[in-house]
Amino acid sequence: MTGDAAETAMSLGRLSYAQSLRAIGESLERRGISTFDLEKWGENYRLQVLAGQPATGSSFLKKIAQLLGRTDNSAREPSDSTVPSRILSYTPSDIARLVTEQQSRHGGLNVMPDAHKLAQVLRVLGDHLDRKEADAFTVSVSGDSLSVAYETGRGIQQESFTIENLYDHAVKMYLRRSKRLEKVN
């Protein structure tokens, strides 16, 4: 997608799951977050950072709030330090900003990305969800495993993946995007 087409799609709120999840994945990589539950209902994404996840800096959620430009209650640090998890929310405008930042960093290069990076794993999963025409979904990522439950017009489906077996999906997606394969299932 060209820069103008991407900006138009973002302004109309029509980002694919692949684009959205890649942007969220890059954001999480920069923060060192790798174990979480993510859910998509309606237009928003809600991410729960699971217990035991290291937080860098003195106030993890304050840094997130600053980066997202938020000062509302959802971005405040929990008052109880024993809270086992933290919640992050991503609105369509947050995702659009992250996608724009990601596109400016990558400059439209069409190279096979590192299939083991969280951003790429989530991008491949997003492509899978786009192709399944999912309406809503939840994703759990822990270590090298990932599980997803998604709703389509045909009902609720559940799948589990390892980072390794998502590699085949990544290769097919890359070949499809680079038009090296006319049809890849």
Side-chain angles (χ1 to χ4, degrees):
M1 192 179 289
T2 66
D4 291 340
E7 288 172 17
T8 301
M10 284 188 290
S11 68
L12 298 174
R14 292 188 303 218
L15 288 174
S16 68
Y17 291 142
Q19 291 171 303
S20 298
L21 292 180
R22 178 183 184 187
I24 290 171
E26 283 192 5
S27 173
L28 297 175
E29 283 175 356
R30 287 191 305 270
R31 290 164 180 77
I33 298 171
S34 60
T35 303
F36 57 88
D37 290 333
L38 174 69
E39 60 185 328
K40 169 81 166 87
W41 297 103
E43 296 298 314
N44 298 313
Y45 292 84
R46 180 180 172 269
L47 185 128
Q48 181 175 6
V49 180
L50 300 179
Q53 181 66 49
T56 58
S58 62
S59 178
F60 175 76
L61 287 179
K62 284 183 185 177
K63 287 182 181 180
I64 298 295
Q66 289 170 348
L67 290 169
L68 295 177
R70 293 204 176 152
T71 58
D72 64 356
N73 290 342
S74 65
R76 274 196 261 158
E77 188 170 46
S79 58
D80 181 1
S81 63
T82 63
V83 174
S85 64
R86 295 184 172 109
I87 306 295
L88 302 174
S89 296
Y90 295 90
T91 65
S93 62
D94 295 331
I95 299 297
R97 181 183 48 76
L98 291 171
V99 168
T100 300
E101 291 171 4
Q102 169 255 311
Q103 287 173 341
S104 68
R105 279 191 306 276
H106 296 287
L109 298 174
N110 190 21
V111 297
M112 181 67 180
D114 182 352
H116 294 90
K117 293 185 97 175
L118 181 59
Q120 181 62 12
V121 167
L122 290 179
R123 180 185 189 188
V124 170
L125 180 64
D127 181 68
H128 181 70
L129 292 168
D130 287 330
R131 295 173 65 71
K132 296 288 186 176
E133 299 178 357
D135 297 319
F137 60 84
T138 60
V139 177
S140 292
V141 178
S142 180
D144 285 342
S145 66
L146 181 143
S147 62
V148 62
Y150 56 93
E151 185 176 350
T152 67
R154 296 177 300 274
I156 296 175
Q157 306 293 317
Q158 290 186 297
E159 296 182 64
S160 294
F161 302 95
T162 65
I163 303 304
E164 294 302 320
N165 66 18
L166 281 172
Y167 182 79
D168 288 340
H169 291 283
V171 169
K172 289 176 184 177
M173 187 176 83
Y174 171 73
L175 292 172
R176 231 184 4 261
R177 288 177 50 89
S178 66
K179 300 179 191 210
R180 291 187 180 138
L181 245 137
E182 289 188 26
K183 183 175 180 177
V184 178
N185 292 330

